[in-house]
Amino acid sequence: MLSETQRKDLFAGAKQIRAHSYSPYSKYAVGAALLTKSGKIYLGTNIENAAYPAGICAERVAVFKAVADGERDFAAIVVVTRDGGTPCGSCRQVLAEFSPDALVIVANEAGEITREAPLHELLPGAFGPKNLNVQP
């Protein structure tokens, strides 16, 4: 369960980092704020590239920054977009690798929540470490 302070901090972070999006092709800026179970917040924004597959989503930037810092357990992620678009399949899969029960909150640029659900509801039956009989 997120405290009101955590929720506000996540929304503020996602909105702030969204302004740094590099999205000259899609014009679809995304900001993400990831809360680890240790209480740290990692921010990410989408970064596009003229060679389209070389870009990366905001959610994965936040996750990769957290993992690079040694974090592996996530409590929640807030994603802010123009219209409240949900994380793509790749982002859902990356989040599920670490925390399939993390809370996902999606909002539009006006701050209206368009979706709030645990990740396992957004990606039912996710493939993960258990399928390979390993524990990371």
Side-chain angles (χ1 to χ4, degrees), residues 22-100:
Y22 180 73
S23 49
Y25 307 106
S26 72
K27 308 282 193 260
Y28 194 79
V30 180
L34 177 71
L35 175 66
T36 66
K37 288 189 178 175
S38 71
K40 294 180 184 173
I41 294 176
Y42 290 86
L43 305 178
T45 192
N46 56 321
I47 303 165
E48 296 179 349
N49 190 283
Y52 289 124
I56 189 166
C57 300
E59 299 90 332
R60 283 183 280 155
V61 169
V63 169
F64 296 162
K65 286 169 68 176
V67 171
D69 251 7
E71 297 284 348
R72 301 286 190 279
D73 297 313
F74 309 132
I77 189 165
V78 169
V79 180
V80 176
T81 68
R82 173 179 61 232
D83 60 353
T86 60
C88 74
S90 293
C91 289
R92 294 176 196 202
Q93 183 63 49
V94 167
L95 285 162
E97 175 76 13
F98 301 100
S99 298

Side-chain angles (χ1 to χ4, degrees), residues 1 5 38-39 48 53 55 70 86 91 107 114 119-120:
M1 185 92 174
T5 299
S38 71
E48 296 179 349
T86 60
C91 289
T114 59
L119 180 62
H120 66 263

Side-chain angles (χ1 to χ4, degrees), residues 124-135:
F127 185 88
K130 67 184 178 306
N131 297 101
L132 300 174
N133 294 319
V134 298
Q135 292 301 316

